[in-house]
Each structure stands twice: as structure tokens, then as C-alpha cells.
mmCIF file of all heavy atoms in Angstrom:
data_model
loop_
_atom_site.group_PDB
_atom_site.id
_atom_site.type_symbol
_atom_site.label_atom_id
_atom_site.label_comp_id
_atom_site.label_asym_id
_atom_site.label_seq_id
_atom_site.Cartn_x
_atom_site.Cartn_y
_atom_site.Cartn_z
ATOM 1 N N LYS A 1 54.473 101.858 -66.034
ATOM 2 C CA LYS A 1 53.707 102.706 -65.118
ATOM 3 C C LYS A 1 52.510 101.935 -64.601
ATOM 4 O O LYS A 1 51.893 101.163 -65.330
ATOM 5 C CB LYS A 1 53.221 103.968 -65.836
ATOM 6 C CG LYS A 1 54.347 104.880 -66.265
ATOM 7 C CD LYS A 1 53.810 106.138 -66.894
ATOM 8 C CE LYS A 1 54.969 107.030 -67.292
ATOM 9 N NZ LYS A 1 54.528 108.290 -67.839
ATOM 10 N N LEU A 2 52.182 102.178 -63.331
ATOM 11 C CA LEU A 2 50.973 101.594 -62.761
ATOM 12 C C LEU A 2 49.769 102.415 -63.184
ATOM 13 O O LEU A 2 49.822 103.647 -63.192
ATOM 14 C CB LEU A 2 51.042 101.589 -61.234
ATOM 15 C CG LEU A 2 52.006 100.621 -60.579
ATOM 16 C CD1 LEU A 2 52.071 100.871 -59.079
ATOM 17 C CD2 LEU A 2 51.587 99.186 -60.847
ATOM 18 N N THR A 3 48.689 101.742 -63.520
ATOM 19 C CA THR A 3 47.424 102.431 -63.755
ATOM 20 C C THR A 3 46.827 102.740 -62.382
ATOM 21 O O THR A 3 47.337 102.280 -61.349
ATOM 22 C CB THR A 3 46.461 101.533 -64.549
ATOM 23 O OG1 THR A 3 46.178 100.363 -63.747
ATOM 24 C CG2 THR A 3 47.037 101.127 -65.896
ATOM 25 N N GLU A 4 45.735 103.486 -62.358
ATOM 26 C CA GLU A 4 45.055 103.740 -61.078
ATOM 27 C C GLU A 4 44.624 102.411 -60.445
ATOM 28 O O GLU A 4 44.770 102.202 -59.248
ATOM 29 C CB GLU A 4 43.863 104.677 -61.263
ATOM 30 C CG GLU A 4 44.262 106.123 -61.452
ATOM 31 C CD GLU A 4 45.136 106.661 -60.325
ATOM 32 O OE1 GLU A 4 44.796 106.452 -59.137
ATOM 33 O OE2 GLU A 4 46.170 107.284 -60.626
ATOM 34 N N LYS A 5 44.092 101.530 -61.290
ATOM 35 C CA LYS A 5 43.694 100.207 -60.809
ATOM 36 C C LYS A 5 44.906 99.452 -60.267
ATOM 37 O O LYS A 5 44.812 98.776 -59.244
ATOM 38 C CB LYS A 5 43.041 99.425 -61.961
ATOM 39 C CG LYS A 5 42.529 98.063 -61.585
ATOM 40 C CD LYS A 5 41.881 97.383 -62.788
ATOM 41 C CE LYS A 5 41.470 95.955 -62.457
ATOM 42 N NZ LYS A 5 40.931 95.260 -63.630
ATOM 43 N N GLY A 6 46.048 99.584 -60.923
ATOM 44 C CA GLY A 6 47.280 98.935 -60.483
ATOM 45 C C GLY A 6 47.758 99.468 -59.143
ATOM 46 O O GLY A 6 48.184 98.707 -58.270
ATOM 47 N N LYS A 7 47.678 100.799 -58.964
ATOM 48 C CA LYS A 7 48.066 101.417 -57.688
ATOM 49 C C LYS A 7 47.166 100.914 -56.567
ATOM 50 O O LYS A 7 47.629 100.597 -55.472
ATOM 51 C CB LYS A 7 47.986 102.936 -57.777
ATOM 52 C CG LYS A 7 49.060 103.558 -58.618
ATOM 53 C CD LYS A 7 48.845 105.066 -58.733
ATOM 54 C CE LYS A 7 49.759 105.657 -59.787
ATOM 55 N NZ LYS A 7 49.472 107.071 -60.036
ATOM 56 N N GLU A 8 45.872 100.851 -56.851
ATOM 57 C CA GLU A 8 44.907 100.390 -55.850
ATOM 58 C C GLU A 8 45.188 98.935 -55.465
ATOM 59 O O GLU A 8 45.200 98.584 -54.285
ATOM 60 C CB GLU A 8 43.487 100.535 -56.405
ATOM 61 C CG GLU A 8 42.412 100.185 -55.416
ATOM 62 C CD GLU A 8 41.023 100.372 -56.018
ATOM 63 O OE1 GLU A 8 40.772 101.419 -56.660
ATOM 64 O OE2 GLU A 8 40.193 99.468 -55.835
ATOM 65 N N GLU A 9 45.430 98.112 -56.460
ATOM 66 C CA GLU A 9 45.700 96.697 -56.205
ATOM 67 C C GLU A 9 47.004 96.524 -55.428
ATOM 68 O O GLU A 9 47.071 95.726 -54.491
ATOM 69 C CB GLU A 9 45.762 95.925 -57.527
ATOM 70 C CG GLU A 9 45.816 94.440 -57.367
ATOM 71 C CD GLU A 9 44.571 93.843 -56.741
ATOM 72 O OE1 GLU A 9 43.464 94.361 -56.939
ATOM 73 O OE2 GLU A 9 44.715 92.833 -56.019
ATOM 74 N N ALA A 10 48.044 97.267 -55.796
ATOM 75 C CA ALA A 10 49.327 97.195 -55.092
ATOM 76 C C ALA A 10 49.164 97.625 -53.635
ATOM 77 O O ALA A 10 49.702 96.986 -52.719
ATOM 78 C CB ALA A 10 50.370 98.064 -55.794
ATOM 79 N N THR A 11 48.401 98.683 -53.411
ATOM 80 C CA THR A 11 48.136 99.155 -52.055
ATOM 81 C C THR A 11 47.406 98.085 -51.246
ATOM 82 O O THR A 11 47.728 97.849 -50.079
ATOM 83 C CB THR A 11 47.307 100.457 -52.093
ATOM 84 O OG1 THR A 11 48.034 101.426 -52.841
ATOM 85 C CG2 THR A 11 47.031 100.988 -50.710
ATOM 86 N N ASN A 12 46.425 97.422 -51.868
ATOM 87 C CA ASN A 12 45.692 96.356 -51.181
ATOM 88 C C ASN A 12 46.597 95.174 -50.827
ATOM 89 O O ASN A 12 46.456 94.576 -49.761
ATOM 90 C CB ASN A 12 44.519 95.872 -52.024
ATOM 91 C CG ASN A 12 43.390 96.870 -52.074
ATOM 92 O OD1 ASN A 12 43.252 97.721 -51.194
ATOM 93 N ND2 ASN A 12 42.587 96.810 -53.114
ATOM 94 N N ILE A 13 47.517 94.842 -51.715
ATOM 95 C CA ILE A 13 48.453 93.744 -51.466
ATOM 96 C C ILE A 13 49.341 94.084 -50.270
ATOM 97 O O ILE A 13 49.549 93.251 -49.379
ATOM 98 C CB ILE A 13 49.312 93.456 -52.723
ATOM 99 C CG1 ILE A 13 48.437 92.865 -53.820
ATOM 100 C CG2 ILE A 13 50.475 92.520 -52.388
ATOM 101 C CD1 ILE A 13 49.082 92.868 -55.197
ATOM 102 N N ILE A 14 49.829 95.319 -50.239
ATOM 103 C CA ILE A 14 50.685 95.746 -49.127
ATOM 104 C C ILE A 14 49.898 95.759 -47.825
ATOM 105 O O ILE A 14 50.379 95.298 -46.784
ATOM 106 C CB ILE A 14 51.308 97.130 -49.432
ATOM 107 C CG1 ILE A 14 52.306 96.996 -50.577
ATOM 108 C CG2 ILE A 14 51.973 97.723 -48.189
ATOM 109 C CD1 ILE A 14 52.746 98.317 -51.182
ATOM 110 N N LYS A 15 48.657 96.250 -47.878
ATOM 111 C CA LYS A 15 47.817 96.283 -46.673
ATOM 112 C C LYS A 15 47.575 94.862 -46.162
ATOM 113 O O LYS A 15 47.692 94.593 -44.965
ATOM 114 C CB LYS A 15 46.472 96.951 -46.968
ATOM 115 C CG LYS A 15 45.535 96.924 -45.785
ATOM 116 C CD LYS A 15 44.143 97.406 -46.123
ATOM 117 C CE LYS A 15 43.251 97.231 -44.913
ATOM 118 N NZ LYS A 15 41.850 97.230 -45.218
ATOM 119 N N LYS A 16 47.246 93.957 -47.058
ATOM 120 C CA LYS A 16 46.984 92.574 -46.678
ATOM 121 C C LYS A 16 48.205 91.984 -45.978
ATOM 122 O O LYS A 16 48.099 91.386 -44.912
ATOM 123 C CB LYS A 16 46.622 91.751 -47.919
ATOM 124 C CG LYS A 16 46.153 90.351 -47.627
ATOM 125 C CD LYS A 16 45.867 89.578 -48.910
ATOM 126 C CE LYS A 16 44.474 89.795 -49.404
ATOM 127 N NZ LYS A 16 44.080 88.813 -50.444
ATOM 128 N N HIS A 17 49.369 92.185 -46.569
ATOM 129 C CA HIS A 17 50.610 91.673 -45.981
ATOM 130 C C HIS A 17 50.833 92.262 -44.589
ATOM 131 O O HIS A 17 51.134 91.545 -43.634
ATOM 132 C CB HIS A 17 51.800 91.993 -46.895
ATOM 133 C CG HIS A 17 53.110 91.616 -46.308
ATOM 134 N ND1 HIS A 17 53.619 90.346 -46.412
ATOM 135 C CD2 HIS A 17 54.011 92.324 -45.582
ATOM 136 C CE1 HIS A 17 54.775 90.292 -45.785
ATOM 137 N NE2 HIS A 17 55.033 91.484 -45.280
ATOM 138 N N ASN A 18 50.681 93.580 -44.484
ATOM 139 C CA ASN A 18 50.953 94.254 -43.217
ATOM 140 C C ASN A 18 49.972 93.879 -42.121
ATOM 141 O O ASN A 18 50.358 93.747 -40.960
ATOM 142 C CB ASN A 18 50.984 95.767 -43.422
ATOM 143 C CG ASN A 18 52.203 96.210 -44.193
ATOM 144 O OD1 ASN A 18 53.207 95.516 -44.249
ATOM 145 N ND2 ASN A 18 52.122 97.360 -44.818
ATOM 146 N N VAL A 19 48.709 93.706 -42.466
ATOM 147 C CA VAL A 19 47.716 93.295 -41.467
ATOM 148 C C VAL A 19 48.037 91.890 -40.967
ATOM 149 O O VAL A 19 48.011 91.625 -39.755
ATOM 150 C CB VAL A 19 46.278 93.354 -42.041
ATOM 151 C CG1 VAL A 19 45.291 92.622 -41.150
ATOM 152 C CG2 VAL A 19 45.845 94.794 -42.239
ATOM 153 N N LEU A 20 48.356 90.985 -41.882
ATOM 154 C CA LEU A 20 48.694 89.621 -41.481
ATOM 155 C C LEU A 20 49.947 89.596 -40.612
ATOM 156 O O LEU A 20 50.000 88.913 -39.591
ATOM 157 C CB LEU A 20 48.867 88.730 -42.706
ATOM 158 C CG LEU A 20 47.585 88.457 -43.479
ATOM 159 C CD1 LEU A 20 47.893 87.820 -44.823
ATOM 160 C CD2 LEU A 20 46.637 87.604 -42.665
ATOM 161 N N LYS A 21 50.936 90.352 -41.018
ATOM 162 C CA LYS A 21 52.182 90.416 -40.235
ATOM 163 C C LYS A 21 51.907 91.003 -38.855
ATOM 164 O O LYS A 21 52.395 90.487 -37.845
ATOM 165 C CB LYS A 21 53.228 91.248 -40.980
ATOM 166 C CG LYS A 21 54.569 91.274 -40.282
ATOM 167 C CD LYS A 21 55.589 92.029 -41.110
ATOM 168 C CE LYS A 21 56.895 92.186 -40.349
ATOM 169 N NZ LYS A 21 57.858 92.998 -41.096
ATOM 170 N N ALA A 22 51.108 92.065 -38.790
ATOM 171 C CA ALA A 22 50.763 92.672 -37.500
ATOM 172 C C ALA A 22 50.033 91.668 -36.616
ATOM 173 O O ALA A 22 50.305 91.570 -35.420
ATOM 174 C CB ALA A 22 49.910 93.926 -37.716
ATOM 175 N N PHE A 23 49.109 90.909 -37.195
ATOM 176 C CA PHE A 23 48.378 89.901 -36.430
ATOM 177 C C PHE A 23 49.343 88.859 -35.858
ATOM 178 O O PHE A 23 49.282 88.514 -34.679
ATOM 179 C CB PHE A 23 47.328 89.222 -37.308
ATOM 180 C CG PHE A 23 46.535 88.170 -36.592
ATOM 181 C CD1 PHE A 23 45.434 88.517 -35.831
ATOM 182 C CD2 PHE A 23 46.894 86.835 -36.668
ATOM 183 C CE1 PHE A 23 44.700 87.551 -35.154
ATOM 184 C CE2 PHE A 23 46.171 85.861 -35.997
ATOM 185 C CZ PHE A 23 45.069 86.224 -35.238
ATOM 186 N N LEU A 24 50.230 88.378 -36.700
ATOM 187 C CA LEU A 24 51.183 87.355 -36.259
ATOM 188 C C LEU A 24 52.092 87.874 -35.145
ATOM 189 O O LEU A 24 52.351 87.165 -34.163
ATOM 190 C CB LEU A 24 52.023 86.864 -37.441
ATOM 191 C CG LEU A 24 51.256 86.082 -38.505
ATOM 192 C CD1 LEU A 24 52.109 85.890 -39.753
ATOM 193 C CD2 LEU A 24 50.783 84.740 -37.970
ATOM 194 N N ILE A 25 52.538 89.105 -35.282
ATOM 195 C CA ILE A 25 53.446 89.675 -34.277
ATOM 196 C C ILE A 25 52.700 90.119 -33.027
ATOM 197 O O ILE A 25 53.052 89.746 -31.913
ATOM 198 C CB ILE A 25 54.235 90.865 -34.880
ATOM 199 C CG1 ILE A 25 55.208 90.357 -35.946
ATOM 200 C CG2 ILE A 25 54.982 91.634 -33.793
ATOM 201 C CD1 ILE A 25 55.863 91.451 -36.762
ATOM 202 N N GLN A 26 51.646 90.930 -33.215
ATOM 203 C CA GLN A 26 50.972 91.550 -32.087
ATOM 204 C C GLN A 26 50.078 90.597 -31.296
ATOM 205 O O GLN A 26 50.005 90.692 -30.082
ATOM 206 C CB GLN A 26 50.127 92.747 -32.564
ATOM 207 C CG GLN A 26 50.884 93.795 -33.320
ATOM 208 C CD GLN A 26 52.000 94.435 -32.507
ATOM 209 O OE1 GLN A 26 51.976 94.441 -31.289
ATOM 210 N NE2 GLN A 26 52.990 94.942 -33.196
ATOM 211 N N ILE A 27 49.398 89.716 -31.984
ATOM 212 C CA ILE A 27 48.445 88.836 -31.305
ATOM 213 C C ILE A 27 49.066 87.486 -30.962
ATOM 214 O O ILE A 27 48.899 86.978 -29.865
ATOM 215 C CB ILE A 27 47.175 88.626 -32.164
ATOM 216 C CG1 ILE A 27 46.547 89.975 -32.557
ATOM 217 C CG2 ILE A 27 46.173 87.725 -31.450
ATOM 218 C CD1 ILE A 27 46.151 90.865 -31.395
ATOM 219 N N LEU A 28 49.813 86.918 -31.898
ATOM 220 C CA LEU A 28 50.369 85.579 -31.681
ATOM 221 C C LEU A 28 51.814 85.587 -31.186
ATOM 222 O O LEU A 28 52.367 84.520 -30.914
ATOM 223 C CB LEU A 28 50.274 84.756 -32.978
ATOM 224 C CG LEU A 28 48.862 84.570 -33.544
ATOM 225 C CD1 LEU A 28 48.924 83.729 -34.813
ATOM 226 C CD2 LEU A 28 47.927 83.950 -32.520
ATOM 227 N N ASN A 29 52.423 86.765 -31.089
ATOM 228 C CA ASN A 29 53.805 86.906 -30.624
ATOM 229 C C ASN A 29 54.811 86.121 -31.454
ATOM 230 O O ASN A 29 55.789 85.583 -30.942
ATOM 231 C CB ASN A 29 53.935 86.530 -29.143
ATOM 232 C CG ASN A 29 53.186 87.494 -28.257
ATOM 233 O OD1 ASN A 29 53.262 88.697 -28.451
ATOM 234 N ND2 ASN A 29 52.452 86.966 -27.294
ATOM 235 N N VAL A 30 54.573 86.040 -32.753
ATOM 236 C CA VAL A 30 55.513 85.406 -33.676
ATOM 237 C C VAL A 30 56.665 86.389 -33.885
ATOM 238 O O VAL A 30 56.439 87.602 -33.945
ATOM 239 C CB VAL A 30 54.811 85.092 -35.021
ATOM 240 C CG1 VAL A 30 55.792 84.589 -36.055
ATOM 241 C CG2 VAL A 30 53.689 84.090 -34.798
ATOM 242 N N ASN A 31 57.893 85.895 -33.998
ATOM 243 C CA ASN A 31 59.020 86.812 -34.202
ATOM 244 C C ASN A 31 58.919 87.470 -35.577
ATOM 245 O O ASN A 31 58.272 86.951 -36.483
ATOM 246 C CB ASN A 31 60.375 86.123 -33.988
ATOM 247 C CG ASN A 31 60.742 85.154 -35.083
ATOM 248 O OD1 ASN A 31 60.786 85.506 -36.255
ATOM 249 N ND2 ASN A 31 60.992 83.915 -34.713
ATOM 250 N N ASN A 32 59.559 88.605 -35.715
ATOM 251 C CA ASN A 32 59.439 89.442 -36.911
ATOM 252 C C ASN A 32 59.818 88.702 -38.188
ATOM 253 O O ASN A 32 59.109 88.784 -39.189
ATOM 254 C CB ASN A 32 60.290 90.701 -36.752
ATOM 255 C CG ASN A 32 60.024 91.711 -37.841
ATOM 256 O OD1 ASN A 32 58.897 92.142 -38.030
ATOM 257 N ND2 ASN A 32 61.066 92.076 -38.561
#
């Protein structure tokens, strides 16, 4: 089971990935 701290950290990891991916796709026009 994830602790609250674990859930928060997992959410941050997903956010970091998604923001970077969005930047690459939306701003730099990198393919998916």
C-alpha cells in the first residue's frame, strides 16, 4: 500500500512526466 507521502510522491512523478511530455509535444512539436 502507498502511504500518503507515497501517493503524493507518485502524483508528483506523474505530473513531472506529463508536463515534460506536454512541453515536448506542444511547444517543440516532438512526436508523441
Side-chain angles (χ1 to χ4, degrees):
K1 294 183 179 183
L2 289 173
T3 63
E4 284 304 313
K5 183 179 175 184
K7 288 176 191 173
E8 184 179 314
E9 189 65 32
T11 302
N12 288 337
I13 291 165
I14 292 167
K15 176 188 175 199
K16 188 182 273 194
H17 175 85
N18 289 338
V19 166
L20 292 168
K21 184 176 174 184
F23 180 84
L24 293 169
I25 292 170
Q26 304 299 336
I27 306 302
L28 301 181
N29 294 316
V30 173
N31 72 56
N32 190 57

